[in-house]
Amino acid sequence: MAALWRGRHRWKRTNCLHVLTRNLTGKYDYDLVVIGGGSGGLACSKEAAQLGQKVAVLDHVEPSVKGTKWGLGGTCVNVGCIPKKLMHQAALLGTAVKDAKKFGWQISEPICHDWSTMADAVQNHVRSLNWGHRVQLQDKKVKYLNIKGSLLDEHTVKGLTKAGKEVGCLFIIRHLSIPGAMEHGITSDDIFWLKKSPGKTLVVGASYVALECAGFLTGIGLDTTVMVRSIALRGFDQQMAGLVTDYMEAYGTKFAWQCVPKRVDKLSSGVLQVTWMDNNTGNEHKDTYDSVLWAVGRAPETKALGLDKLGVQLDKETGKIVVGADESTSVPNIYAFGDIGEGRPELTPTAIKAGKLLARRLARHSAELMNYDSVPTTVFTPLEYGCVGLSEEEAEKRLGKDGIEVYHAFYKPLEFTVAERDASQCYLKVICERDGDQKILGLHFTGPNAGEVTQGFALAFQCGATYSHLLQTVGIHPTCAEELTKVNITKRSGLDATVTGC
């Protein structure tokens, strides 16, 4: 998300080109111009408008390679958090229907899922959010311009209408550079907008997006394989990542570990033949799929913003914008926040909060900076994984193995008992400093409703929670979250960490 402060500019039209220029008086037409109508950009613009600033938002969606396009709201609303969580819920309901039989519900067989019904409902909800965002901007008197924006200088923004040729999206989905990848594959920009079921699917990649998509596809009954080049959930605690993928494998998702795709060919029958290399054996394999979903990450499209001409510093490896603690860039009046900022969490809530705080600072209503420490998050895989704070690897790297104490437990959710579901991967751990008050450094949880559990404990991190605080907390019975208030077995002890009793 790029923001231009004191960009009070006047629009003039030249062959589909809008140029924001300074008035003859030396004043500007807008106090703030935001390029990018995602969650962070919208939050920043509305906050600034509420504080009396004159604000414009530029947002335009370039269709995916497959032609998928959507409305205002950015990745989260259209092709991320919202449709993902709803399709995850569809999969959870499928599991719940199976569990229901054990609880006495008489359900006739066979149980099947209809993709088009789900897709229509999800897409209609997303469209309602698109419309809601437009209404909110109008109510807040924020000028919304459905055009592609870039920067001419630290006070001037230009934008092209739909008839223009300039590329203005802030992120593009990566495709692997192999024959057939772009022609025959889809991405997370497409999966949520498909009108018909993707069928047997190969998901390439092992990021949280890849695993979440593979999880809900498996959950609604589709034959799904995840192809992993190296490790799953890079950047997350790797013990927890292993539990997530172990559960998925037991759940029915197939994994092709240490494998790399080489080409995708469309056969005369219409199916896709994927050729890949198994790096463990050096052997080449082939199989056919109805869909190939590339989930290998997003790349920032910062070049299209004209930042190089202005001298805005970019990270050489990632291409993201280098920012300070106050979201400032290397050029005065230009700020960047959200996914586009180097080193920032690629999470909607952080972008929203950072955007609001930036608007307040620019309007001189506050000096508060965004706190990027201990930001909670959840991976919505079939067995959800929530975490806040440091991974065990990172804590050990900072303090050494003897400088931390890890309390852990394997537990069984009450809901799993009557349903006779395997709870082998339901696990939690609390990573603490070993000395002193045993300040909590990281908290990790796999199990039902992990996001709800983690959100509550995240507050404690902002208050400097210690292990003794955790033990002093009275749990709510019977819940999965209460197990965190009772955890007392350390990894160092070597004792069995399985919870017994109710």
Side-chain angles (χ1 to χ4, degrees), residues 86-87 90 112-125 192 194-197 220:
L86 291 173
M87 292 190 178
C112 60
H113 180 268
D114 181 66
W115 175 276
S116 61
T117 300
M118 175 189 70
D120 286 346
V122 170
Q123 291 161 15
N124 285 337
H125 177 66
F192 303 112
L194 295 178
K195 293 299 182 183
K196 64 178 184 177
S197 171
I220 62 174

Side-chain angles (χ1 to χ4, degrees), residues 310-314 321-323 328-332 334:
L310 276 66
V312 175
Q313 185 181 355
L314 304 179
I321 301 172
V322 176
V323 292
S328 61
T329 70
S330 56
V331 176
I334 299 176

Side-chain angles (χ1 to χ4, degrees), residues 6 27 53 63 108-109 212 223 227 276 287 325 337 365 404 418 490:
R6 289 297 174 201
K27 296 181 178 180
Q53 307 302 305
S108 58
E109 299 283 357
E212 288 173 339
D223 185 338
M227 185 168 288
W276 72 88
D287 200 355
F337 58 96
H365 276 248
I404 63 173
V418 172
T490 66

Side-chain angles (χ1 to χ4, degrees), residues 126-370:
V126 169
R127 290 189 185 98
S128 75
L129 296 178
N130 299 148
W131 176 250
H133 282 310
R134 295 188 68 161
V135 170
Q136 287 176 22
L137 291 181
Q138 187 174 17
D139 289 347
K140 304 286 185 185
K141 294 181 172 54
V142 175
K143 182 68 174 179
Y144 165 56
L145 297 156
N146 184 18
I147 60 176
K148 306 168 187 176
S150 59
L151 306 178
L152 291 180
D153 60 42
E154 65 268 28
H155 286 293
T156 309
V157 177
K158 73 174 181 180
L160 285 179
T161 63
K162 293 179 182 179
K165 296 181 180 179
E166 204 173 273
V167 177
C169 56
L170 292 186
F171 277 83
I172 56 172
I173 295 280
R174 288 193 178 105
H175 291 77
L176 295 187
S177 299
I178 64 171
M182 294 184 71
E183 302 95 306
H184 306 309
I186 61 174
T187 69
S188 58
D189 280 354
D190 307 302
I191 187 72
F192 303 112
W193 292 91
L194 295 178
K195 293 299 182 183
K196 64 178 184 177
S197 171
K200 181 182 177 182
T201 303
L202 174 67
V203 179
V204 181
S207 63
Y208 70 90
V209 173
L211 298 188
E212 288 173 339
C213 289
F216 72 68
L217 290 174
T218 301
I220 62 174
L222 299 182
D223 185 338
T224 308
T225 301
V226 179
M227 185 168 288
V228 187
R229 182 191 62 181
S230 52
I231 61 173
L233 296 178
R234 185 180 300 279
F236 287 86
D237 187 288
Q238 284 302 291
Q239 180 191 9
M240 306 306 290
L243 293 170
V244 167
T245 54
D246 285 350
Y247 186 91
M248 288 182 68
E249 287 190 284
Y251 186 69
T253 306
K254 302 168 188 173
F255 281 81
W257 295 99
Q258 307 300 315
C259 292
V260 179
K262 293 299 181 183
R263 64 180 299 116
V264 181
D265 297 293
K266 190 168 188 176
L267 304 182
S268 58
S269 61
V271 299
L272 304 177
Q273 179 177 272
V274 180
T275 304
W276 72 88
M277 180 69 71
D278 184 330
N279 288 338
N280 286 321
T281 64
N283 295 330
E284 191 173 274
H285 301 274
K286 293 181 181 180
D287 200 355
T288 56
Y289 302 89
D290 298 307
S291 299
V292 177
L293 171 62
W294 302 105
V296 292
R298 290 179 180 268
E301 189 70 353
T302 42
K303 291 181 180 179
L305 293 173
L307 302 178
D308 53 337
K309 298 176 182 177
L310 276 66
V312 175
Q313 185 181 355
L314 304 179
D315 183 89
K316 293 180 180 179
E317 290 186 12
T318 66
K320 293 187 176 186
I321 301 172
V322 176
V323 292
D326 61 351
E327 324 302 345
S328 61
T329 70
S330 56
V331 176
N333 304 313
I334 299 176
Y335 298 81
F337 58 96
D339 295 4
I340 205 75
E342 172 59 28
R344 299 305 195 217
E346 294 185 4
L347 298 169
T348 296
T350 54
I352 291 173
K353 190 167 182 62
K356 288 182 176 180
L357 291 175
L358 175 60
R360 293 170 193 168
R361 291 195 302 274
L362 293 176
R364 292 186 169 84
H365 276 248
S366 169
E368 183 183 355
L369 297 174
M370 176 65 190

